[in-house]
């Protein structure tokens, strides 16, 4: 994976002038002009802030997201931006630490040119960011935690499905395949508690009991041995892996313990596929965006073209999610009305109802903030290819 250009925290990243924008972004720019959107700041760029892990355990996730959103905005700018206003994507590394993510968000808030924040990464990180900047839109947080979505946070616009939907999909898939003895490994933290609650609810719907539940200390802990041993001893038919960056270490320990149970991962597990090597073969996992290799979705075709134009030929679920998040934010900016302000961008986002991004629908509205419902299951084939 090609690393995005890195600057010191809160230093803007210049957007290169790349290929002419196709699809959604072109439509957005044209429609903006047609609607008479303002000439606000046409002589200077507006900024979008993003805080994510660019140097720690979730680095692969963070960089993938940034590659996708960077490719989208580069293409948007090539097409003229939002009614002539260029958009700069500004990156800050939070090293996957919630307090740093909060500090980054507050620093962005002090910059009047920053209109919104894009795809914060992590459950605790998102919790800090969305509370820190109530006057700014936070679009596409990378977490499916239900508790955060139940908070009264009108500034936060979710694009991905939640963990309840993900785990429901995995359990129902297992049931269809005749797998009734289902286990879970999760981290002992807010992320893990959300996954655990979703797991119990999904099993209850299917009238099943958990075969085994094992935990790791936290999201970043490599102390996975006890959890692997507990799963191996119970011998479930399938284990749901509710881990992200530590999933490869867990699966290695599980196989070393002699366990051959099928493994199903959440969407957050997919980011670690490249680190799993042969361990990934046969792994089933949830995807909350279409396959990045599919050509049947218009939004994926745009993503592929814009990624290649930006110099990145390796497609991934994570970068496609970053691209989708950027597209949703751009649509909110297009709908902002008479001026591009933080408040008008939030209003623009809230006006998105049954909007088709090119095969993926987003539906907010005056009170709803869970815009995306896309959930599917993919499997890594014997040659390492993703099958969906």
């Amino acid at each position: 994976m090609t690393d995005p250009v890195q600057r010191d925290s809160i230093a803007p990243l210049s957007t290169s002038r790349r290929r002419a924008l196709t699809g959604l972004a072109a439509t957005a720019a044209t429609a903006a002009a047609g609607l008479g959107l303002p000439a606000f700041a046409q002589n200077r760029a507006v900024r979008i802030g993003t805080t994510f892990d660019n140097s720690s355990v979730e680095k692969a996730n963070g960089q993938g997201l940034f590659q996708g959103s960077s490719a989208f905005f580069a293409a948007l700018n090539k097409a003229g931006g939002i009614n002539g206003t260029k958009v700069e994507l500004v990156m800050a590394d939070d090293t996957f630490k919630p307090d740093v993510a909060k500090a980054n968000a507050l620093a962005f808030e002090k910059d009047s040119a920053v209109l919104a924040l894009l795809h914060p990464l992590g459950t605790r990180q998102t919790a800090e960011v969305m509370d820190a900047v109530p006057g700014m839109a936070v679009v596409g947080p990378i977490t499916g935690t239900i508790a955060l979505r139940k908070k009264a946070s009108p500034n936060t616009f979710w694009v991905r499905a939640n963990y309840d939907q993900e785990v429901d999909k995995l359990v129902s898939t297992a049931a269809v395949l005749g797998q009734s003895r289902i286990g879970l490994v999760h981290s002992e933290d807010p992320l893990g508690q959300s996954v655990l609650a979703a797991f119990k609810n999904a099993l209850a719907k299917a009238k099943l009991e958990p075969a085994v539940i094992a935990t790791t200390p936290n999201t970043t802990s490599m102390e996975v041995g006890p959890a692997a041993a507990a799963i191996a001893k119970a011998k479930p038919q399938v284990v749901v892996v509710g881990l992200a960056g530590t999933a490869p270490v867990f699966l290695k320990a599980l196989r070393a313990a002699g366990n051959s149970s099928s493994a199903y991962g959440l969407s957050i597990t997919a980011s670690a596929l490249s680190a799993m090597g042969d361990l990934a073969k046969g792994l089933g996992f949830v995807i909350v965006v279409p396959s990045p290799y599919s050509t049947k979705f218009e939004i994926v075709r745009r993503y592929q073209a814009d990624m290649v134009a930006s110099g990145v030929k390796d497609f991934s679920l994570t970068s496609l999610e970053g691209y989708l998040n950027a597209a949703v934010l751009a649509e909110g900016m297009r709908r902002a009305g008479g001026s591009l302000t933080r408040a008008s961008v939030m209003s623009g986002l809230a006006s998105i109802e049954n909007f088709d991004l090119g095969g993926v629908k987003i539906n907010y509205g005056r009170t709803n903030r869970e815009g995306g419902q896309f959930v599917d299951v993919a499997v890594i084939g014997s040659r390492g290819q993703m099958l969906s």
Side-chain angles (χ1 to χ4, degrees):
M1 179 179 288
T2 304
D3 289 353
V5 178
Q6 184 178 358
R7 298 281 194 270
D8 292 335
S9 292
I10 320 303
L13 294 171
S14 61
T15 51
S16 59
R17 300 179 179 277
R18 295 193 281 258
R19 65 182 290 278
L21 184 62
T22 59
L24 172 67
T27 302
T30 303
L35 289 173
L37 290 186
F40 170 83
Q42 287 197 18
N43 61 345
R44 67 184 181 93
V46 295
R47 295 176 175 177
I48 302 300
T50 178
T51 175
F52 58 85
D53 182 6
N54 195 40
S55 57
S56 187
V57 66
E58 292 296 323
K59 177 180 178 180
N61 250 344
Q63 292 186 342
L65 291 165
F66 189 69
Q67 283 182 332
S69 52
S70 293
F72 178 88
F73 284 119
L76 178 69
N77 287 338
K78 184 68 176 179
I82 300 292
N83 194 39
T85 300
K86 300 299 178 69
V87 181
E88 289 182 357
L89 192 58
V90 188
M91 181 272 286
D93 182 8
D94 58 36
T95 68
F96 208 56
K97 295 178 181 177
D99 58 333
V100 180
K102 177 180 180 179
N104 288 345
L106 290 172
F108 282 131
E109 185 183 42
K110 292 179 181 178
D111 183 348
S112 61
V114 177
L115 290 181
L117 302 185
L118 187 64
H119 53 55
L121 172 60
T123 298
R124 292 177 298 163
Q125 292 76 6
T126 296
E128 294 288 354
V129 168
M130 59 195 283
D131 287 347
V133 290
M136 298 177 69
V138 179
V139 179
I142 310 302
T143 174
T145 303
I146 292 292
L148 292 183
R149 301 180 185 223
K150 289 182 178 179
K151 295 178 64 174
S153 301
N155 67 318
T156 306
F157 294 82
W158 306 91
V159 178
R160 60 159 43 217
N162 61 52
Y163 289 142
D164 277 11
Q165 293 168 298
E166 290 194 34
V167 177
D168 271 346
K169 187 70 174 180
L170 290 180
V171 170
S172 63
T173 299
V176 167
L177 296 175
Q179 298 167 319
S180 58
R181 298 193 68 256
I182 306 172
L184 170 72
V185 58
H186 68 89
S187 52
E188 196 63 82
D189 56 16
L191 164 64
Q193 291 303 313
S194 180
V195 173
L196 175 61
F199 180 68
K200 289 181 176 179
N201 289 337
L203 287 185
K205 290 179 184 178
K207 298 182 179 179
L208 297 173
E209 294 293 329
V212 58
I213 295 175
T215 63
T216 64
N218 56 60
T219 306
T220 61
S221 175
M222 297 298 177
E223 296 179 32
V224 299
I231 297 290
K233 182 179 179 180
K235 298 180 180 178
Q237 291 171 290
V238 60
V239 55
V240 174
V241 182
L243 306 173
T246 60
V249 182
F250 168 78
L251 285 175
K252 184 176 181 179
L254 184 65
R255 299 313 183 207
N259 182 270
S260 58
S261 299
S262 298
Y264 290 175
L266 298 180
S267 59
I268 54 175
T269 308
S271 64
L273 289 174
S274 61
M276 292 183 192
D278 288 343
L279 289 173
K281 294 179 180 178
L283 174 69
F285 58 96
V286 174
I287 55 176
V288 292
V289 296
S291 166
Y293 310 105
S294 172
T295 56
K296 68 179 181 179
F297 289 89
E298 182 184 349
I299 188 66
V300 178
R301 295 195 297 271
R302 297 173 194 155
Y303 153 82
Q304 291 175 347
D306 290 341
M307 287 287 283
V308 171
S310 71
V312 181
K313 297 181 180 179
D314 295 329
F315 305 146
S316 71
L317 291 162
T318 311
S319 59
L320 176 54
E321 186 167 4
Y323 186 92
L324 280 167
N325 290 335
V328 171
L329 175 53
E331 178 63 17
M333 294 171 68
R334 182 184 74 79
R335 295 169 180 240
S339 63
L340 279 173
T341 66
R342 291 172 179 177
S344 69
V345 170
M346 279 199 282
S347 295
L349 286 162
S351 74
I352 296 175
E353 296 185 69
N354 296 316
F355 179 69
D356 191 344
L357 280 173
V360 176
K361 287 191 175 181
I362 303 297
N363 185 32
Y364 295 125
R366 190 167 59 87
T367 58
N368 179 50
R369 290 295 181 268
E370 293 200 63
Q373 304 293 320
F374 186 95
V375 183
D376 203 354
V377 174
V379 177
I380 299 300
S382 60
R383 298 191 303 275
Q385 77 278 31
M386 189 173 79
L387 308 172
S388 62

